């Protein structure tokens, strides 16, 4: 490769990046920070959902993930259906050609191995499978770094996700339930480690809420929540109940004289913010338009308390050291809250009970000083564990300086693991316990 001749490693980053989701872009920001610190000579580019946004914000070249620009729009006309079908074939060649130009491809965090939100198999799961299969065939190391996973019922999606994980050269997960889910779906996870979400490596906000004795604002992070992949038939009912319960909770806070700041984590959340603003007409209620996780962290750092739904809204609040209550829609939120010492402060997003939520909120505020101390300790642990993650990533993916090898001579890091999966699957459970990483206290 040209990069090997020049002594520079070519690194690709892959995912639904630049598409309006702040958590996805924050994960990319974390990996780019690692690469610039640990591998400053690496040549980096992206294959992603929003190439223009990624290039504008992060200053790296980017290519569109899908040939068909209408990939994530519902196709009803014959022409649209044909374009989607042709796009699948074109994307196979486009993905392989892009992978071929790299020594390493990193999938930075994100819930790429889960279907906790509505997901079609021939969208992103298929794209991820093309990436991992191309990496294995072309001997480009593909790394799934601190990713989220969950058991999937849909057989096509489950198969694509399972094979993507098996074909990757490196896997780590952002929580233990993710690793357990992949084991349950037939992946040998004996060599896979668990680390915190990549966003915990981002810089923390410099200041918090002013300590003037007056009640500070409450941040409420909302979401265009319609249930998961198995809830499509009830999606509108779930959304209505979530919106009604959240609106009642916000109204109760405002009626109690509290200032409330609405937050979102994706462009699709704007209608939810608008609906709550319309239903609760008060000068005490305002909304933010964050453009990054750094913006979210500043908002949550200035609050007394945070109540949030989106996973990375929760992470921003917890990293800012602000006592937080999760409107949980998946095991990942509950695992995150438990890791950070707030496991009892979860409320189901599918069944938002405003009265019960107010009770939990008041209990949370009573424990605020103690919880802030707990969060300071857990954040320090998370940052140290992510330093270990990045060290492990360097050891697994990047050849030692001065010893760069051609792709034809590069080892296949997961050949032994996949052979073991075929030959010794019956022993996978015991093997996993032998290699299980230490978790945060």
């Amino acid at each position: 490769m040209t990069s090997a001749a020049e002594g520079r490693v070519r690194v690709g980053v892959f995912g639904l990046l630049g598409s309006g989701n702040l958590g996805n872009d924050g994960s990319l920001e974390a990996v780019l920070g690692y690469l610039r610190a640990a591998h400053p000579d690496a040549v980096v580019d992206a294959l992603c959902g929003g190439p223009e946004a990624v290039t504008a914000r992060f200053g790296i070249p980017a290519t569109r993930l899908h040939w068909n620009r209408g990939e994530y729009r519902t196709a009803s006309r014959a022409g649209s259906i044909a374009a989607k079908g042709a796009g699948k074939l074109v994307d196979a060649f486009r993905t392989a050609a892009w992978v071929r130009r790299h020594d390493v491809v990193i999938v930075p965090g994100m819930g790429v191995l889960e279907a906790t939100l509505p997901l079609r198999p021939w969208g992103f799961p298929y794209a991820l499978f093309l990436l991992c299969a191309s990496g294995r065939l072309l001997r480009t190391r593909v790394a799934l770094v601190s990713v989220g996973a969950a058991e999937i019922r849909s057989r096509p999606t489950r198969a694509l996700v399972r094979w993507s994980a098996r074909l990757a050269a490196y896997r780590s997960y952002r929580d233990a339930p993710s690793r357990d889910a992949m084991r349950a779906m037939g992946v040998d996870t004996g060599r896979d480690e668990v680390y915190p979400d990549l966003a915990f490596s981002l810089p923390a906000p410099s200041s918090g809420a002013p300590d003037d004795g007056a009640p500070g604002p409450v941040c409420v992070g909302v979401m265009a929540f319609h249930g998961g992949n198995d809830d499509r038939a009830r999606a509108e009912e779930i959304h209505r109940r979530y919106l009604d319960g959240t609106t009642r909770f916000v109204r109760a806070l405002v009626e109690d004289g509290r200032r409330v700041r609405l937050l979102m984590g994706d462009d699709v959340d704007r209608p939810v913010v608008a609906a709550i603003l319309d239903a609760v007409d008060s000068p005490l209620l305002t909304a933010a338009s964050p453009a990054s996780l750094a913006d979210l962290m500043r908002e949550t750092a200035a609050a007394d308390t945070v109540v949030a739904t989106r996973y990375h809204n929760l992470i921003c609040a917890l990293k800012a050291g602000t006592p937080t209550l999760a409107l949980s829609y998946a095991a990942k939120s509950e695992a995150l809250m438990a890791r950070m010492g707030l496991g009892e402060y979860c409320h189901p997003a599918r069944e938002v009970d405003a009265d019960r939520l107010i009770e939990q909120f008041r209990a949370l505020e009573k424990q605020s000083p103690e919880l802030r101390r707990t969060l300071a300790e857990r954040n320090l642990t998370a940052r140290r564990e992510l330093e270990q993650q990045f060290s492990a990533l360097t050891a697994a993916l990047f050849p030692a300086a001065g010893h760069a090898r051609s792709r034809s001579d590069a080892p296949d890091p997961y050949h032994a693991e996949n052979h073991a999966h075929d030959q010794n699957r019956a022993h996978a459970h015991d093997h996993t316990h032998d290699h299980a990483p230490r978790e945060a206290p």
Side-chain angles (χ1 to χ4, degrees):
M1 288 184 65
T2 302
S3 59
E6 295 175 351
R8 304 180 71 186
V9 178
R10 288 192 61 95
V11 180
V13 289
F14 176 94
L16 292 177
L17 311 165
S19 301
N21 184 284
L22 300 186
N24 292 359
D25 290 357
S27 298
L28 172 59
E29 182 181 354
V31 163
L32 291 178
Y34 150 70
L35 290 172
R36 286 164 181 161
H39 306 282
D41 292 331
V43 180
V44 183
D45 73 309
L47 184 62
C48 59
E52 298 86 359
V54 166
T55 297
R57 179 177 173 190
F58 298 107
I60 61 174
T63 303
R64 187 172 297 280
L65 180 59
H66 299 290
W67 172 78
N68 177 24
R69 290 175 178 262
E71 177 61 38
Y72 294 104
R73 292 195 294 268
T74 301
S76 54
R77 297 181 179 180
S80 298
I81 295 172
K84 281 202 170 189
K88 302 307 174 190
L89 180 61
V90 173
D91 284 345
F93 291 98
R94 291 176 70 251
T95 302
W98 182 80
V99 168
R100 189 186 187 98
R101 299 197 298 268
H102 298 83
D103 300 293
V104 172
V105 174
I106 295 175
V107 181
M110 305 176 286
V112 297
L113 302 177
E114 65 182 49
T116 51
L117 297 176
L119 183 70
R120 299 293 188 187
W122 305 114
F124 186 78
Y126 175 71
L128 183 66
F129 170 75
L130 291 180
L131 172 78
C132 295
S134 297
R136 177 57 64 94
L137 290 171
L138 299 170
R139 303 188 70 80
T140 294
R141 302 174 185 91
V142 174
L144 310 180
V145 181
S146 198
V147 298
E151 279 200 67
I152 298 170
R153 295 183 183 178
S154 166
R155 288 186 178 182
T157 306
R158 183 185 179 97
L160 288 167
V161 164
R162 179 174 62 243
W163 277 105
S164 296
R166 286 179 178 175
L167 292 170
Y170 177 91
R171 298 184 297 263
S172 65
Y173 306 100
R174 63 189 180 191
D175 51 50
S178 292
R179 185 174 59 183
D180 294 344
M182 295 312 298
R183 182 190 302 129
M185 288 194 290
V187 177
D188 183 352
T189 61
R191 297 170 61 190
D192 299 354
E193 300 283 1
V194 172
Y195 298 100
D197 188 272
L198 292 170
F200 280 105
S201 70
L202 295 174
S206 57
S207 61
D211 188 14
D212 55 8
V218 178
C219 282
V220 178
V222 301
M223 179 179 178
F225 179 62
H226 293 78
N229 210 43
D230 299 324
D231 298 318
R232 292 179 183 273
R234 301 175 52 238
E236 288 309 313
E237 175 194 349
I238 290 171
H239 178 66
R240 177 178 52 77
R241 293 180 71 169
Y242 168 80
L243 181 58
D244 288 351
T246 305
T247 301
R248 285 186 59 206
F249 172 69
V250 169
R251 183 180 291 113
L253 291 177
V254 168
E255 289 175 350
D256 199 36
R258 299 298 295 271
R259 289 177 290 136
V260 178
R261 185 85 161 152
L262 299 179
L263 304 178
M264 58 185 190
D266 193 297
D267 288 343
V268 301
D269 301 332
R270 293 185 185 279
V272 179
V273 171
I276 296 175
L277 288 172
D278 185 59
V280 183
D281 184 12
S282 170
L284 294 176
L285 177 62
T286 58
S289 296
S292 66
L293 291 192
D295 290 346
L296 276 174
M297 283 188 219
R298 282 190 288 270
E299 292 283 353
T300 57
D304 272 2
T305 313
V306 174
V307 178
T309 311
R310 280 200 178 271
Y311 184 75
H312 280 92
N313 278 196
L314 293 172
I315 286 180
C316 287
L318 296 167
K319 183 169 175 59
T322 304
T324 301
L325 199 160
L327 291 178
S328 173
Y329 64 89
K332 62 184 178 183
S333 299
E334 293 159 15
L336 170 66
M337 296 294 284
R339 170 186 279 271
M340 299 303 289
L342 283 81
E344 64 185 286
Y345 298 107
C346 292
H347 189 96
R350 282 177 173 78
E351 304 286 344
V352 178
D353 180 332
D355 294 333
R356 172 62 181 148
L357 189 55
I358 284 288
E359 290 178 7
Q360 289 179 287
F361 173 80
R362 289 173 178 161
L364 178 73
E365 290 212 311
K366 287 180 181 179
Q367 297 297 319
S368 181
E370 178 183 343
L371 293 175
R372 286 181 179 273
R373 289 191 293 270
T374 298
L375 288 172
E377 296 169 359
R378 299 299 174 94
N379 275 309
L380 181 59
T381 299
R383 190 163 188 89
R384 287 172 176 168
E385 290 181 340
L386 280 172
E387 290 173 358
Q388 297 171 9
Q389 160 73 101
F390 292 137
S391 296
L393 197 58
T394 291
L397 299 183
F398 295 93
H403 295 280
R405 290 168 290 185
S406 68
R407 178 173 289 121
S408 61
D409 295 329
D412 185 350
Y414 262 77
H415 175 76
E417 180 268 320
N418 281 285
H419 180 71
H421 179 273
D422 295 334
Q423 299 296 322
N424 302 307
R425 185 173 179 180
H427 302 291
H429 181 73
D430 293 337
H431 184 60
T432 298
H433 283 286
D434 291 341
H435 291 80
R438 295 179 63 184
E439 301 291 344

